[in-house]
Amino acid sequence: MLPADMVNGRGRVLHVDGNDYEWVAVFLLDHPGVPEGITALWQPTGMPSRPHQK
């Protein structure tokens, strides 16, 4: 990942070099009315990840 300047929600500029971090995949589904029959499929992403359910 290339270094980039990012602006947070408070307007503060942060210089982020993606190579300085260990990244993990995150997917969050929070929906008040998921239709019947909808199933999340967990495909390999090449990043450490695993499904978590409540």
Side-chain angles (χ1 to χ4, degrees):
M1 301 182 87
L2 296 174
D5 288 334
M6 304 180 121
V7 181
N8 69 13
R10 295 183 175 143
R12 185 173 155 203
V13 177
L14 305 169
H15 182 76
V16 178
D17 184 342
N19 297 304
D20 290 341
Y21 300 92
E22 183 175 330
W23 296 88
V24 296
V26 175
F27 175 80
L28 175 65
L29 175 61
D30 183 15
H31 193 285
V34 178
E36 283 289 323
I38 297 296
T39 304
L41 301 176
W42 306 107
Q43 303 290 329
T45 62
M47 300 179 80
S49 63
R50 66 183 176 90
H52 173 77
Q53 296 176 347
K54 282 186 174 181

